[in-house]
mmCIF file of all heavy atoms in Angstrom:
data_model
loop_
_atom_site.group_PDB
_atom_site.id
_atom_site.type_symbol
_atom_site.label_atom_id
_atom_site.label_comp_id
_atom_site.label_asym_id
_atom_site.label_seq_id
_atom_site.Cartn_x
_atom_site.Cartn_y
_atom_site.Cartn_z
ATOM 1 N N ASN A 1363 -23.421 30.526 -33.031
ATOM 2 C CA ASN A 1363 -22.698 30.237 -31.801
ATOM 3 C C ASN A 1363 -23.249 28.980 -31.172
ATOM 4 O O ASN A 1363 -24.431 28.912 -30.843
ATOM 5 C CB ASN A 1363 -22.786 31.386 -30.802
ATOM 6 C CG ASN A 1363 -22.057 32.626 -31.234
ATOM 7 O OD1 ASN A 1363 -21.133 32.579 -32.020
ATOM 8 N ND2 ASN A 1363 -22.497 33.768 -30.735
ATOM 9 N N LEU A 1364 -22.388 27.988 -31.030
ATOM 10 C CA LEU A 1364 -22.779 26.762 -30.348
ATOM 11 C C LEU A 1364 -22.024 26.737 -29.006
ATOM 12 O O LEU A 1364 -20.829 26.956 -28.952
ATOM 13 C CB LEU A 1364 -22.379 25.534 -31.174
ATOM 14 C CG LEU A 1364 -22.962 25.465 -32.576
ATOM 15 C CD1 LEU A 1364 -22.299 24.359 -33.382
ATOM 16 C CD2 LEU A 1364 -24.436 25.232 -32.513
ATOM 17 N N ASP A 1365 -22.768 26.504 -27.925
ATOM 18 C CA ASP A 1365 -22.223 26.549 -26.590
ATOM 19 C C ASP A 1365 -22.335 25.183 -25.901
ATOM 20 O O ASP A 1365 -23.161 24.375 -26.264
ATOM 21 C CB ASP A 1365 -22.946 27.579 -25.731
ATOM 22 C CG ASP A 1365 -22.805 28.999 -26.271
ATOM 23 O OD1 ASP A 1365 -21.705 29.332 -26.715
ATOM 24 O OD2 ASP A 1365 -23.819 29.726 -26.270
ATOM 25 N N ARG A 1366 -21.485 25.006 -24.900
ATOM 26 C CA ARG A 1366 -21.516 23.810 -24.028
ATOM 27 C C ARG A 1366 -21.509 22.501 -24.817
ATOM 28 O O ARG A 1366 -22.186 21.552 -24.488
ATOM 29 C CB ARG A 1366 -22.730 23.841 -23.108
ATOM 30 C CG ARG A 1366 -22.719 25.022 -22.177
ATOM 31 C CD ARG A 1366 -23.885 24.958 -21.241
ATOM 32 N NE ARG A 1366 -24.032 26.213 -20.532
ATOM 33 C CZ ARG A 1366 -25.123 26.567 -19.901
ATOM 34 N NH1 ARG A 1366 -26.153 25.761 -19.900
ATOM 35 N NH2 ARG A 1366 -25.167 27.716 -19.280
ATOM 36 N N ILE A 1367 -20.712 22.451 -25.859
ATOM 37 C CA ILE A 1367 -20.641 21.255 -26.681
ATOM 38 C C ILE A 1367 -19.776 20.218 -25.968
ATOM 39 O O ILE A 1367 -18.714 20.534 -25.472
ATOM 40 C CB ILE A 1367 -20.034 21.562 -28.075
ATOM 41 C CG1 ILE A 1367 -20.945 22.531 -28.833
ATOM 42 C CG2 ILE A 1367 -19.833 20.279 -28.860
ATOM 43 C CD1 ILE A 1367 -20.385 22.997 -30.131
ATOM 44 N N SER A 1368 -20.286 19.001 -25.938
ATOM 45 C CA SER A 1368 -19.539 17.851 -25.410
ATOM 46 C C SER A 1368 -19.470 16.808 -26.532
ATOM 47 O O SER A 1368 -20.456 16.508 -27.178
ATOM 48 C CB SER A 1368 -20.254 17.243 -24.197
ATOM 49 O OG SER A 1368 -20.273 18.184 -23.162
ATOM 50 N N PHE A 1369 -18.262 16.276 -26.717
ATOM 51 C CA PHE A 1369 -18.064 15.242 -27.740
ATOM 52 C C PHE A 1369 -16.943 14.328 -27.294
ATOM 53 O O PHE A 1369 -15.968 14.768 -26.697
ATOM 54 C CB PHE A 1369 -17.695 15.877 -29.076
ATOM 55 C CG PHE A 1369 -17.307 14.864 -30.100
ATOM 56 C CD1 PHE A 1369 -18.257 14.134 -30.768
ATOM 57 C CD2 PHE A 1369 -15.961 14.600 -30.380
ATOM 58 C CE1 PHE A 1369 -17.908 13.175 -31.724
ATOM 59 C CE2 PHE A 1369 -15.615 13.638 -31.320
ATOM 60 C CZ PHE A 1369 -16.591 12.933 -31.972
ATOM 61 N N SER A 1370 -17.104 13.044 -27.593
ATOM 62 C CA SER A 1370 -16.068 12.069 -27.308
ATOM 63 C C SER A 1370 -16.036 11.071 -28.441
ATOM 64 O O SER A 1370 -17.069 10.682 -28.973
ATOM 65 C CB SER A 1370 -16.374 11.372 -25.991
ATOM 66 O OG SER A 1370 -15.376 10.433 -25.704
ATOM 67 N N ASN A 1371 -14.811 10.647 -28.811
ATOM 68 C CA ASN A 1371 -14.712 9.628 -29.886
ATOM 69 C C ASN A 1371 -14.484 8.229 -29.330
ATOM 70 O O ASN A 1371 -14.038 7.351 -30.029
ATOM 71 C CB ASN A 1371 -13.616 10.020 -30.892
ATOM 72 C CG ASN A 1371 -12.224 9.922 -30.316
ATOM 73 O OD1 ASN A 1371 -12.024 9.737 -29.138
ATOM 74 N ND2 ASN A 1371 -11.246 10.087 -31.185
ATOM 75 N N TYR A 1372 -14.807 8.017 -28.067
ATOM 76 C CA TYR A 1372 -14.669 6.717 -27.447
ATOM 77 C C TYR A 1372 -15.711 6.597 -26.323
ATOM 78 O O TYR A 1372 -16.332 7.560 -25.923
ATOM 79 C CB TYR A 1372 -13.269 6.504 -26.886
ATOM 80 C CG TYR A 1372 -12.958 7.426 -25.714
ATOM 81 C CD1 TYR A 1372 -13.154 7.014 -24.414
ATOM 82 C CD2 TYR A 1372 -12.512 8.717 -25.908
ATOM 83 C CE1 TYR A 1372 -12.892 7.854 -23.355
ATOM 84 C CE2 TYR A 1372 -12.231 9.556 -24.869
ATOM 85 C CZ TYR A 1372 -12.415 9.115 -23.580
ATOM 86 O OH TYR A 1372 -12.160 9.951 -22.521
ATOM 87 N N GLY A 1373 -15.892 5.371 -25.818
ATOM 88 C CA GLY A 1373 -16.714 5.143 -24.658
ATOM 89 C C GLY A 1373 -18.213 5.151 -24.933
ATOM 90 O O GLY A 1373 -18.682 4.996 -26.064
ATOM 91 N N HIS A 1374 -18.964 5.338 -23.861
ATOM 92 C CA HIS A 1374 -20.433 5.264 -23.900
ATOM 93 C C HIS A 1374 -21.030 6.368 -24.793
ATOM 94 O O HIS A 1374 -22.004 6.131 -25.486
ATOM 95 C CB HIS A 1374 -20.981 5.373 -22.471
ATOM 96 C CG HIS A 1374 -22.462 5.323 -22.392
ATOM 97 N ND1 HIS A 1374 -23.173 4.194 -22.718
ATOM 98 C CD2 HIS A 1374 -23.372 6.271 -22.063
ATOM 99 C CE1 HIS A 1374 -24.484 4.444 -22.563
ATOM 100 N NE2 HIS A 1374 -24.616 5.698 -22.176
ATOM 101 N N ASN A 1375 -20.464 7.556 -24.769
ATOM 102 C CA ASN A 1375 -20.987 8.681 -25.579
ATOM 103 C C ASN A 1375 -20.225 8.852 -26.865
ATOM 104 O O ASN A 1375 -20.110 9.949 -27.383
ATOM 105 C CB ASN A 1375 -20.934 9.954 -24.750
ATOM 106 C CG ASN A 1375 -21.931 9.952 -23.636
ATOM 107 O OD1 ASN A 1375 -23.020 9.442 -23.775
ATOM 108 N ND2 ASN A 1375 -21.525 10.533 -22.512
ATOM 109 N N LYS A 1376 -19.717 7.750 -27.432
ATOM 110 C CA LYS A 1376 -18.919 7.826 -28.655
ATOM 111 C C LYS A 1376 -19.752 8.402 -29.792
ATOM 112 O O LYS A 1376 -20.875 7.975 -30.035
ATOM 113 C CB LYS A 1376 -18.433 6.447 -29.039
ATOM 114 C CG LYS A 1376 -17.593 6.399 -30.286
ATOM 115 C CD LYS A 1376 -17.108 5.004 -30.586
ATOM 116 C CE LYS A 1376 -16.274 5.017 -31.838
ATOM 117 N NZ LYS A 1376 -15.715 3.704 -32.126
ATOM 118 N N ASN A 1377 -19.162 9.414 -30.456
ATOM 119 C CA ASN A 1377 -19.770 10.058 -31.629
ATOM 120 C C ASN A 1377 -21.137 10.656 -31.354
ATOM 121 O O ASN A 1377 -21.975 10.717 -32.248
ATOM 122 C CB ASN A 1377 -19.820 9.079 -32.826
ATOM 123 C CG ASN A 1377 -18.439 8.686 -33.277
ATOM 124 O OD1 ASN A 1377 -17.485 9.424 -33.104
ATOM 125 N ND2 ASN A 1377 -18.356 7.502 -33.865
ATOM 126 N N ILE A 1378 -21.339 11.141 -30.158
ATOM 127 C CA ILE A 1378 -22.585 11.862 -29.814
ATOM 128 C C ILE A 1378 -22.174 13.288 -29.460
ATOM 129 O O ILE A 1378 -21.332 13.487 -28.546
ATOM 130 C CB ILE A 1378 -23.336 11.199 -28.660
ATOM 131 C CG1 ILE A 1378 -23.807 9.800 -29.069
ATOM 132 C CG2 ILE A 1378 -24.511 12.079 -28.205
ATOM 133 C CD1 ILE A 1378 -24.471 9.018 -27.964
ATOM 134 N N ILE A 1379 -22.763 14.241 -30.122
ATOM 135 C CA ILE A 1379 -22.478 15.682 -29.858
ATOM 136 C C ILE A 1379 -23.669 16.215 -29.099
ATOM 137 O O ILE A 1379 -24.794 16.152 -29.558
ATOM 138 C CB ILE A 1379 -22.265 16.448 -31.155
ATOM 139 C CG1 ILE A 1379 -21.123 15.844 -31.971
ATOM 140 C CG2 ILE A 1379 -22.035 17.930 -30.867
ATOM 141 C CD1 ILE A 1379 -20.962 16.427 -33.343
ATOM 142 N N LYS A 1380 -23.388 16.772 -27.940
ATOM 143 C CA LYS A 1380 -24.429 17.428 -27.126
ATOM 144 C C LYS A 1380 -24.007 18.895 -26.973
ATOM 145 O O LYS A 1380 -22.827 19.194 -26.846
ATOM 146 C CB LYS A 1380 -24.570 16.782 -25.757
ATOM 147 C CG LYS A 1380 -25.029 15.365 -25.789
ATOM 148 C CD LYS A 1380 -25.087 14.787 -24.407
ATOM 149 C CE LYS A 1380 -25.472 13.307 -24.429
ATOM 150 N NZ LYS A 1380 -25.460 12.725 -23.105
ATOM 151 N N GLY A 1381 -24.985 19.762 -26.922
ATOM 152 C CA GLY A 1381 -24.665 21.162 -26.743
ATOM 153 C C GLY A 1381 -25.876 22.031 -26.657
ATOM 154 O O GLY A 1381 -26.997 21.552 -26.391
ATOM 155 N N GLN A 1382 -25.653 23.326 -26.904
ATOM 156 C CA GLN A 1382 -26.712 24.288 -26.804
ATOM 157 C C GLN A 1382 -26.564 25.299 -27.960
ATOM 158 O O GLN A 1382 -25.479 25.787 -28.225
ATOM 159 C CB GLN A 1382 -26.576 25.023 -25.463
ATOM 160 C CG GLN A 1382 -27.752 25.802 -25.042
ATOM 161 C CD GLN A 1382 -27.553 26.336 -23.641
ATOM 162 O OE1 GLN A 1382 -26.530 26.905 -23.318
ATOM 163 N NE2 GLN A 1382 -28.543 26.198 -22.808
ATOM 164 N N VAL A 1383 -27.685 25.550 -28.619
ATOM 165 C CA VAL A 1383 -27.748 26.568 -29.682
ATOM 166 C C VAL A 1383 -29.034 27.345 -29.472
ATOM 167 O O VAL A 1383 -30.092 26.764 -29.232
ATOM 168 C CB VAL A 1383 -27.636 25.949 -31.075
ATOM 169 C CG1 VAL A 1383 -28.783 25.040 -31.387
ATOM 170 C CG2 VAL A 1383 -27.486 27.002 -32.154
ATOM 171 N N PHE A 1384 -28.962 28.660 -29.555
ATOM 172 C CA PHE A 1384 -30.105 29.547 -29.326
ATOM 173 C C PHE A 1384 -30.776 29.230 -27.993
ATOM 174 O O PHE A 1384 -31.999 29.204 -27.870
ATOM 175 C CB PHE A 1384 -31.121 29.451 -30.472
ATOM 176 C CG PHE A 1384 -30.553 29.682 -31.812
ATOM 177 C CD1 PHE A 1384 -30.645 28.711 -32.816
ATOM 178 C CD2 PHE A 1384 -29.911 30.848 -32.129
ATOM 179 C CE1 PHE A 1384 -30.130 28.902 -34.061
ATOM 180 C CE2 PHE A 1384 -29.367 31.062 -33.402
ATOM 181 C CZ PHE A 1384 -29.495 30.101 -34.354
ATOM 182 N N ASN A 1385 -29.996 28.938 -26.974
ATOM 183 C CA ASN A 1385 -30.453 28.573 -25.614
ATOM 184 C C ASN A 1385 -31.342 27.356 -25.567
ATOM 185 O O ASN A 1385 -32.135 27.195 -24.649
ATOM 186 C CB ASN A 1385 -31.138 29.783 -24.966
ATOM 187 C CG ASN A 1385 -30.204 30.925 -24.715
ATOM 188 O OD1 ASN A 1385 -29.026 30.740 -24.395
ATOM 189 N ND2 ASN A 1385 -30.700 32.139 -24.895
ATOM 190 N N LYS A 1386 -31.208 26.481 -26.530
ATOM 191 C CA LYS A 1386 -31.931 25.220 -26.589
ATOM 192 C C LYS A 1386 -30.931 24.073 -26.651
ATOM 193 O O LYS A 1386 -29.917 24.172 -27.344
ATOM 194 C CB LYS A 1386 -32.847 25.118 -27.836
ATOM 195 C CG LYS A 1386 -33.900 26.200 -27.880
ATOM 196 C CD LYS A 1386 -34.990 25.942 -26.899
ATOM 197 C CE LYS A 1386 -36.067 27.019 -27.054
ATOM 198 N NZ LYS A 1386 -37.090 26.946 -26.053
ATOM 199 N N GLN A 1387 -31.214 22.996 -25.950
ATOM 200 C CA GLN A 1387 -30.348 21.829 -25.943
ATOM 201 C C GLN A 1387 -30.488 21.058 -27.254
ATOM 202 O O GLN A 1387 -31.579 20.984 -27.829
ATOM 203 C CB GLN A 1387 -30.701 20.891 -24.787
ATOM 204 C CG GLN A 1387 -30.555 21.507 -23.427
ATOM 205 C CD GLN A 1387 -29.085 21.740 -23.055
ATOM 206 O OE1 GLN A 1387 -28.209 20.997 -23.438
ATOM 207 N NE2 GLN A 1387 -28.838 22.803 -22.301
ATOM 208 N N PHE A 1388 -29.405 20.506 -27.739
ATOM 209 C CA PHE A 1388 -29.472 19.612 -28.908
ATOM 210 C C PHE A 1388 -28.553 18.418 -28.673
ATOM 211 O O PHE A 1388 -27.663 18.420 -27.854
ATOM 212 C CB PHE A 1388 -29.058 20.364 -30.193
ATOM 213 C CG PHE A 1388 -27.606 20.690 -30.305
ATOM 214 C CD1 PHE A 1388 -26.706 19.785 -30.844
ATOM 215 C CD2 PHE A 1388 -27.125 21.922 -29.889
ATOM 216 C CE1 PHE A 1388 -25.385 20.093 -30.955
ATOM 217 C CE2 PHE A 1388 -25.777 22.231 -30.003
ATOM 218 C CZ PHE A 1388 -24.885 21.312 -30.525
ATOM 219 N N LYS A 1389 -28.844 17.366 -29.440
ATOM 220 C CA LYS A 1389 -28.078 16.125 -29.387
ATOM 221 C C LYS A 1389 -28.005 15.585 -30.787
ATOM 222 O O LYS A 1389 -29.016 15.417 -31.461
ATOM 223 C CB LYS A 1389 -28.746 15.118 -28.444
ATOM 224 C CG LYS A 1389 -28.016 13.802 -28.304
ATOM 225 C CD LYS A 1389 -28.741 12.916 -27.327
ATOM 226 C CE LYS A 1389 -28.086 11.594 -27.220
ATOM 227 N NZ LYS A 1389 -28.803 10.696 -26.298
ATOM 228 N N ILE A 1390 -26.782 15.294 -31.250
ATOM 229 C CA ILE A 1390 -26.550 14.784 -32.596
ATOM 230 C C ILE A 1390 -25.793 13.478 -32.466
ATOM 231 O O ILE A 1390 -24.778 13.411 -31.770
ATOM 232 C CB ILE A 1390 -25.734 15.759 -33.457
ATOM 233 C CG1 ILE A 1390 -26.473 17.099 -33.591
ATOM 234 C CG2 ILE A 1390 -25.449 15.166 -34.816
ATOM 235 C CD1 ILE A 1390 -25.636 18.193 -34.243
ATOM 236 N N SER A 1391 -26.286 12.434 -33.116
ATOM 237 C CA SER A 1391 -25.601 11.155 -33.153
ATOM 238 C C SER A 1391 -24.992 10.994 -34.542
ATOM 239 O O SER A 1391 -25.697 11.059 -35.536
ATOM 240 C CB SER A 1391 -26.590 10.025 -32.861
ATOM 241 O OG SER A 1391 -25.905 8.807 -32.903
#
Side-chain angles (χ1 to χ4, degrees):
N1363 290 336
L1364 302 170
D1365 298 319
R1366 298 183 192 163
I1367 297 174
S1368 296
F1369 173 79
S1370 181
N1371 69 351
Y1372 66 94
H1374 180 66
N1375 290 323
K1376 181 179 180 177
N1377 295 334
I1378 296 175
I1379 301 172
K1380 296 178 184 177
Q1382 195 174 48
V1383 63
F1384 306 121
N1385 294 324
K1386 300 286 184 187
Q1387 298 292 326
F1388 71 87
K1389 181 178 177 182
I1390 301 171
S1391 179

